[in-house]
Amino acid sequence: MPSHNNTAVLKKKPWVLICLSLVIIGLGAFIVGLMGRHPERAWQAYLINFLLWSSIAQGGLLFSVVMHTVKARWSGPLSNLAESFTAFFPISFGLFLILFLGRNDLFPWLHQDLHGKEVWLNIPFLFTRDSVGLLILYGLGFLYLYHAFWLKLDRSISSGRIRTFLYKRWDQRIPDAQTCNRRMTVFGILYILAFALILSLIGFDLVMSMDPHWYSTLFGAYTFVKAFYVGLGGLIILASALHLYPEIEFRLKPSNFHDIGKLFFAFCLVWADFFYVQLVVIWYGNIPEETAYVIERTMTPPWNSLAWFIFIICFILPFFILLNKKIKTKPQFMSILCAVVIMGIWLEHLLLIGPALNPHGSALPLGLMDGLIFLGFSGLMALAVTVFLNLFPELLRVTDGEVT
Amino acid sequence: MTELTFAKIDQTVLDTLKPPDRTYWLTVGILFAGALAGAGCWIYQILTGIGVAGMNNPVAWGTYLINFVFWVGIAHSGTLISAILHLLRAGWRNPIARAAETMTVFAVCIAGLFPFIHLGRVWLVFYMLPIPNQRNLWQNFQSPLMFDVVAISTYLTVSSLFWYTGMLPDLAVVRDRATGIRKKIFTVISLGWTGAHEQWRHYARGYLFFAALATPLVISVHSVVSWDFALAVVPGWHTTIFAPYFVAGAIHSGLAMVLTLMIPIRKLFHYEKIITIEVLESVAKTIIFTGLIVGFAYGTEFFIAWYSQNPVEMAIFKYRPTGDYALGFWIMVVCNTIIPLLFFFKKIRTTIFWLFGISIFVNIGMWYERFVIIITSVSRDFIPHAWGLYSPTIIEFGIMLGAFCLFFFFFLLFVKHLPSVSMTEMKETVDQGAGHGD
């Protein structure tokens, strides 16, 4: 089996060591930040990275789910690869629980008069509902994956405890391929629903409520559209990296890159559309309670230049670049572009959260520590995906046509 | 679909253009009479004054604007099917794309009538044109209503061109088989199509570009329609989710109308082999999707109204489900979000009876959605002194009936005089075997 040894290179020490050292650097920077004079800055970076990397994982799996649900034929190898992002789900849940420790630094509304909003905005209820929500979302993701694996896993490979466990279960109860496929559709649809609802909830609770007096009905939908956008970006980076890595037998056709590039382009437009339609309604209505939020972020320094920078690197730049067909088929170029967009969305989270957490700052709350913590999280994601692909090398199998 | 050959497709579609029988003309006549009745109501309104309609102070926007939004909404799924699904290479859109696109063109035309009807003194409509004049009247280009004029007329232009361009090869097919006066007409309107390689190349590129440009256009058009409301500072209207919510709602209603139109046509014209049950099933599945988006928007609006603890927001969202128009609200919720969920059952979405029935419910529900949005918000202003109720009068119902009759009248004329299924695209489908119930 070529695919059996396919990921052996990923097991090689240097790569894992690099990831591990990134994680340690990030962790170190976070701890140093916590002990410093501004622990809230460290928590701010932590929250932003939690939101960003979780949404890459959630959006990544959404790709596979949506492709299965609409019976897409072009996406086989990419769908498989997208499933490897589920490895981040348990980590994401753990990271969310850790947020609890930073509650005093993270939620500005704890010390404000909320005029009746206490019913919704209080720490016990917030953490209960969001943990339950994330458990449901991730649970559905794993149920989908469980059935996808039934169709996909190669029984001749039998290493590792997870495999033994899965095979044992499948030996006891033998569903047929059709039932499995149908269950994938059911859990897939439920995952899509949960994705919309839970990500809206997370967006309302962890981002919008940072300014408890501001509200926008589109914010939830904006959050999950953004998550799919970065999820596609993450998937393109992963696919490009594996495609370009000479020792792994994972070669995609240019048409695969072209198609996912078009989808990325489409969601670039959807993101910009949601960004714009939210802004224009508030700008035109010009009600103080709504515009204050927007004015602070788009018109007053230091945030205004950041807002423009984000809009340029997340929309204007990718829009004009992605109009070109040839560029979409170049994995090197696409992975750079996607990385730029992901960093843009990182900054976008900073733009949404930052002013509430740094009310009187005259300079952008951005420093070396933020960069190091970002690296730490990226190492965590890379490590999770690597371990997962090592466990399940079948996900790297490139076949023609529909896999599931 | 092994039995479907090129010749068979041509034959089935061209058979629909044979001289119609008396029942057809009778139906056309009845619909025309209905349209005339509507026109009569409008003339009566022009002669008597806008007071014959139920609109009052504070409810100055009534059924005319409800119908306007309703028909613009109907138009949207035509472009979804013909453009967006074309870009997504969804093969199942091919058999219904032509009829859906036609529905778009007619629905935009009908929608375009309503702002005129809504005007009290329609003869002064030229005031809306940006022409230099001694009255010193100049349009307020910052008004969303003005955006709307631009958006709708662009949409009509683009969708008509898209529709016509897509039809060219088919018109040539009709021309080649026709005789007499029909041949002459189709010779002119097929613009000298010969089927040369070069023509096909341009046609395919042109169609793709049209699709790519129509996609953002269609989203922008209904976003602008939503801003007629959302940009105003009126509780229940001023909410950021409106643009995506209206776009999804528009496609929801349009897909339902596609089912309402396609199911009888499929039966009458023996299109069963072309518009297979799988095609209708795919439409039904898309209706589930749009229905869920609409349901998500309803839910979010209520949640945020409560979350905001803003008294006016809370008041309007309490008024909708429990106030004077509670019935309309519950019709809207049940028809748009609950009933379409029945399509989750395979048996229901593959049974013609249910498909047709549910499509009617969605049509009704989407009409009520616009009713609830428009009427409830203006009938309760900020102070109780400015509260009022609205109910449509017989004249408004007459005009509404006339609009429906006119729409079906156009559509009926279309299906008998132009190819209602794209032969070209059906042949592509057969060739690729893509997603057409195989």
Side-chain angles (χ1 to χ4, degrees):
Chain A
M1 292 306 302
S3 66
H4 190 182
N5 302 320
N6 206 2
T7 53
V9 271
L10 283 177
K11 277 187 194 152
K12 274 187 193 162
K13 287 252 163 80
W15 173 243
V16 177
L17 278 181
I18 292 172
C19 295
L20 266 178
S21 49
L22 283 177
V23 175
I24 291 165
I25 290 173
L27 190 65
F30 179 59
I31 291 170
V32 170
L34 281 186
M35 311 236 264
R37 259 186 301 167
H38 294 290
E40 74 281 0
R41 286 281 312 279
W43 280 115
Q44 169 189 298
Y46 181 90
L47 174 63
I48 292 174
N49 280 298
F50 160 73
L51 291 167
L52 178 76
W53 293 100
S54 301
S55 56
I56 290 179
Q58 293 148 350
L61 182 65
L62 185 72
F63 175 78
S64 166
V65 170
V66 168
M67 291 301 129
H68 171 78
T69 313
V70 302
K71 296 188 186 136
R73 291 149 202 260
W74 59 274
S75 57
L78 286 163
S79 281
N80 288 344
L81 206 56
E83 285 159 15
S84 64
F85 282 114
T86 42
F88 197 74
F89 282 3
I91 301 173
S92 158
F93 188 70
L95 292 172
F96 174 72
L97 295 181
I98 294 173
L99 273 182
F100 185 72
L101 300 174
R103 61 192 180 282
N104 287 319
D105 290 317
L106 277 173
F107 300 107
W109 43 260
L110 273 178
H111 320 293
Q112 291 183 22
D113 184 3
L114 293 175
H115 306 289
K117 280 187 195 166
E118 298 85 356
V119 188
W120 183 258
L121 291 181
N122 61 73
I123 293 289
F125 187 32
L126 185 140
F127 275 92
T128 315
R129 63 174 180 257
D130 288 3
S131 330
V132 171
L134 285 175
L135 277 181
I136 292 172
L137 178 69
Y138 294 159
L140 289 168
F142 279 122
L143 279 170
Y144 169 81
L145 194 71
Y146 175 79
H147 292 96
F149 270 7
W150 191 88
L151 295 166
K152 222 174 286 185
L153 287 198
D154 183 350
R155 295 283 193 112
S156 63
I157 311 172
S158 53
S159 59
R161 237 180 285 166
I162 300 180
R163 271 178 192 277
T164 330
F165 170 74
L166 286 175
Y167 293 161
K168 215 182 231 172
R169 274 190 69 89
W170 291 336
D171 285 338
Q172 282 163 3
R173 280 182 289 161
I174 313 157
D176 56 311
Q178 211 186 350
T179 320
C180 231
N181 221 322
R182 217 182 49 231
R183 286 191 193 156
M184 268 174 84
T185 313
V186 171
F187 288 119
I189 290 170
L190 289 174
Y191 179 82
I192 296 172
L193 280 173
F195 184 84
L197 294 172
I198 307 301
L199 262 80
S200 300
L201 184 69
I202 294 286
F204 289 139
D205 278 353
L206 298 182
V207 186
M208 192 179 85
S209 73
M210 288 289 152
D211 185 338
H213 306 296
W214 184 75
Y215 54 88
S216 162
T217 40
L218 191 60
F219 206 86
Y222 175 71
T223 306
F224 66 71
V225 159
K226 192 167 67 181
F228 197 35
Y229 184 33
V230 288
L232 290 171
L235 179 59
I236 293 176
I237 294 177
L238 179 62
S240 308
L242 292 168
H243 175 86
L244 294 171
Y245 202 76
E247 290 168 58
I248 299 176
E249 270 183 54
F250 180 81
R251 298 286 167 276
L252 292 178
K253 286 178 283 183
S255 65
N256 288 132
F257 280 107
H258 185 206
D259 284 335
I260 184 115
K262 281 190 277 190
L263 202 60
F264 184 68
F265 179 52
F267 273 85
C268 169
L269 281 165
V270 175
W271 174 79
D273 177 57
F274 276 45
F275 183 92
Y276 176 72
V277 298
Q278 185 166 230
L279 184 79
V280 81
V281 170
I282 294 171
W283 174 78
Y284 199 105
N286 205 12
I287 306 176
E289 65 209 45
E290 282 184 354
T291 44
Y293 187 90
V294 173
I295 289 170
E296 193 176 13
R297 281 161 183 76
T298 59
M299 292 179 191
T300 52
W303 301 102
N304 54 351
S305 41
L306 181 68
W308 277 108
F309 183 68
I310 290 163
F311 194 68
I312 289 168
I313 65 169
C314 289
F315 172 62
I316 297 179
L317 201 71
F319 175 79
F320 285 106
I321 291 174
L322 290 172
L323 282 176
N324 187 304
K325 177 181 174 181
K326 209 160 186 184
I327 279 175
K328 285 187 279 233
T329 62
K330 299 260 179 270
Q332 298 94 330
F333 194 88
M334 281 304 285
S335 48
I336 295 172
L337 185 71
C338 292
V340 168
V341 167
I342 287 176
M343 279 189 264
I345 296 294
W346 191 96
L347 290 171
E348 191 259 5
H349 280 105
L350 177 69
L351 179 72
L352 295 173
I353 294 170
L357 290 179
N358 310 273
H360 308 295
S362 54
L364 281 182
L366 201 59
L368 180 66
M369 185 186 67
D370 298 276
L372 294 179
I373 293 179
F374 177 79
L375 285 181
F377 273 83
S378 59
L380 202 56
M381 172 62 101
L383 198 63
V385 171
T386 308
V387 170
F388 197 79
L389 287 176
N390 271 325
L391 277 175
F392 305 106
E394 290 93 334
L395 296 183
L396 289 174
R397 208 169 276 171
V398 177
T399 43
D400 285 327
E402 206 176 12
V403 173
T404 50
Chain B
M1 299 316 297
T2 40
E3 42 206 308
L4 208 56
T5 58
F6 283 14
K8 218 166 195 168
I9 293 170
D10 278 355
Q11 207 46 53
T12 316
V13 177
L14 291 172
D15 275 351
T16 66
L17 303 180
K18 281 181 183 162
D21 58 9
R22 213 174 279 169
T23 342
Y24 170 81
W25 288 117
L26 187 70
T27 324
V28 168
I30 292 171
L31 289 174
F32 187 64
L36 279 184
C41 289
W42 187 15
I43 291 169
Y44 176 73
Q45 176 185 297
I46 290 172
L47 294 176
T48 320
I50 194 76
V52 296
M55 286 171 291
N56 54 50
N57 200 356
V59 190
W61 285 14
T63 46
Y64 298 147
L65 291 172
I66 294 167
N67 281 313
F68 166 72
V69 180
F70 176 78
W71 285 109
V72 181
I74 294 290
H76 275 58
S77 79
T79 318
L80 170 93
I81 289 172
S82 53
I84 300 183
L85 293 181
H86 178 70
L87 293 181
L88 293 174
R89 291 185 231 133
W92 59 267
R93 53 72 80 186
N94 287 353
I96 50 171
R98 169 70 46 74
E101 187 66 26
T102 314
M103 181 188 85
T104 293
V105 175
F106 294 154
V108 178
C109 292
I110 304 285
L113 280 177
F114 277 100
F116 290 99
I117 299 172
H118 179 73
L119 291 177
R121 293 177 290 167
V122 70
W123 55 93
L124 295 179
V125 71
F126 66 94
Y127 279 17
M128 295 206 304
L129 299 175
I131 39 174
N133 56 66
Q134 72 248 60
R135 299 181 308 278
N136 282 326
L137 286 173
W138 196 245
Q139 291 65 44
N140 180 8
F141 285 106
Q142 291 176 7
S143 160
L145 302 181
M146 202 64 211
F147 306 167
D148 219 8
V149 174
V150 178
I152 301 282
S153 39
T154 312
Y155 188 38
L156 179 60
T157 316
V158 172
S159 53
S160 313
L161 286 173
F162 190 33
W163 173 71
Y164 184 62
T165 312
M167 209 155 46
L168 277 176
D170 282 5
L171 294 176
V173 173
V174 181
R175 173 200 64 196
D176 294 344
R177 316 277 163 94
T179 49
I181 181 81
R182 171 177 272 194
K183 184 162 186 103
K184 278 185 187 146
I185 293 173
F186 277 86
T187 307
V188 174
I189 60 176
S190 60
L191 300 181
W193 180 272
T194 56
H197 180 70
E198 192 66 3
Q199 286 184 345
W200 278 112
R201 202 172 71 83
H202 286 145
Y203 167 81
R205 296 309 288 171
Y207 198 79
L208 183 67
F209 284 134
F210 256 127
L213 293 171
T215 300
L217 177 71
V218 70
I219 290 167
S220 76
V221 169
H222 222 69
S223 298
V224 168
V225 172
S226 83
W227 291 339
D228 289 346
F229 308 99
L231 296 191
V233 188
V234 173
W237 285 5
H238 183 72
T239 166
T240 48
I241 207 170
F242 251 39
Y245 157 43
F246 265 50
V247 173
I251 292 170
H252 192 46
S253 68
L255 288 171
M257 189 59 101
V258 166
L259 284 183
T260 313
L261 291 172
M262 294 323 288
I263 289 170
I265 288 182
R266 178 176 182 267
K267 178 93 187 131
L268 288 173
F269 289 160
H270 311 293
Y271 274 153
E272 283 91 349
K273 291 247 168 64
I274 290 178
I275 305 171
T276 56
I277 198 79
E278 285 82 3
V279 171
L280 300 177
E281 200 186 340
S282 300
V283 178
K285 285 179 185 170
T286 319
I287 288 181
I288 300 180
F289 179 59
T290 48
L292 285 171
I293 300 179
V294 170
F296 173 82
Y298 296 160
T300 310
E301 282 197 319
F302 273 90
F303 168 69
I304 292 291
W306 172 77
Y307 169 87
S308 73
Q309 291 288 319
N310 180 332
V312 285
E313 288 284 335
M314 286 168 85
I316 190 73
F317 282 99
K318 196 179 162 208
Y319 178 61
R320 279 188 188 172
T322 57
D324 300 302
Y325 301 104
L327 180 65
F329 174 85
W330 290 108
I331 291 176
M332 157 185 122
V333 171
V334 172
C335 292
N336 290 341
T337 63
I338 315 269
I339 291 180
L341 293 183
L342 290 172
F343 281 145
F344 268 124
F345 300 101
K346 194 173 175 76
K347 199 150 201 179
I348 287 181
R349 64 172 189 261
T350 49
T351 312
I352 293 295
F353 171 78
W354 286 104
L355 280 166
F356 191 71
I358 293 177
S359 80
I360 300 286
F361 274 113
V362 175
N363 279 319
I364 295 173
M366 284 308 295
W367 192 87
Y368 269 100
E369 181 189 299
R370 279 64 179 248
F371 183 90
V372 168
I373 291 172
I374 296 179
I375 306 300
T376 56
S377 280
V378 283
S379 69
R380 288 284 171 109
D381 211 330
F382 290 98
I383 42 173
H385 169 70
W387 286 2
L389 291 178
Y390 163 83
S391 54
T393 61
I394 189 89
I395 296 293
E396 285 172 277
F397 281 122
I399 290 179
M400 188 172 147
L401 177 81
F404 274 93
C405 287
L406 189 62
F407 175 76
F408 289 114
F409 168 75
F410 281 147
F411 199 80
L412 222 53
L413 285 184
F414 156 76
V415 292
K416 257 333 221 176
H417 295 89
L418 290 168
S420 50
V421 165
S422 170
M423 293 176 262
T424 315
E425 285 176 330
M426 274 315 295
K427 288 169 193 166
E428 287 169 7
T429 307
V430 171
D431 214 25
Q432 298 162 355
H436 187 247
D438 45 357

